[in-house]
Amino acid sequence: QVQLVESGGGLVQAGDSLRLSCAASGRTFGSYTMGWFRQAPGKEREFVAAITWTGDTTWYTDSVKGRFTISRDNAKNTVYLQMGSLKPEDTAVYYCAVHNGGLIAVAHKYAYWGQGTQVTVAS
């Protein structure tokens, strides 16, 4: 089992920045991808960003490219999502997840999920 705990969410104004963290514990895989997803009220969960085990390859959904940066610190078993130029449409619960494989944006391929952290962007 892998436990994931997100933190860093909150209420911010449009244009502000916020950094989310996701700490992993428990069983560790030989190589795994970590991803961030989000779910707004009444909408399906959507892919935001993912990063490979080595951290040298990342993938972003188009709507956050240039504004969000995913990174990881394997020594701390932590992945980060630095969010900038936030918009009201970024408001959602943000989840981190683990996939035992390469980069992928499909939620059901991720085996373990955190409980989520709320990000609210006021206009």
Side-chain angles (χ1 to χ4, degrees):
Q1 291 289 330
V2 176
Q3 292 78 43
L4 302 171
V5 179
E6 301 99 334
S7 61
L11 171 63
V12 296
Q13 298 296 313
D16 284 352
S17 298
L18 204 59
R19 189 178 81 158
L20 305 182
S21 300
C22 173
S25 61
R27 176 187 174 188
T28 57
F29 298 104
S31 62
Y32 58 91
T33 288
M34 294 194 75
W36 286 97
F37 291 77
R38 65 187 180 187
Q39 188 166 19
K43 295 187 177 181
E44 293 190 355
R45 191 168 298 189
E46 68 168 344
F47 170 77
V48 176
I51 187 167
T52 54
W53 165 252
T54 58
D56 60 354
T57 305
T58 57
W59 188 8
Y60 299 91
T61 192
D62 287 346
S63 63
V64 307
K65 284 180 181 177
R67 299 190 299 122
F68 290 12
T69 301
I70 188 171
S71 62
R72 67 190 295 165
D73 184 340
N74 289 336
K76 297 181 178 179
N77 289 324
T78 301
V79 64
Y80 305 96
L81 185 67
Q82 179 69 46
M83 305 185 294
S85 301
L86 283 163
K87 305 175 181 179
E89 50 263 44
D90 294 318
T91 295
V93 177
Y94 283 71
Y95 300 89
C96 67
V98 171
H99 168 60
N100 189 16
L103 283 180
I104 194 166
V106 181
H108 74 259
K109 294 291 187 180
Y110 285 74
Y112 299 98
W113 293 80
Q115 82 290 347
T117 186
Q118 176 71 47
V119 172
T120 303
V121 184
S123 58

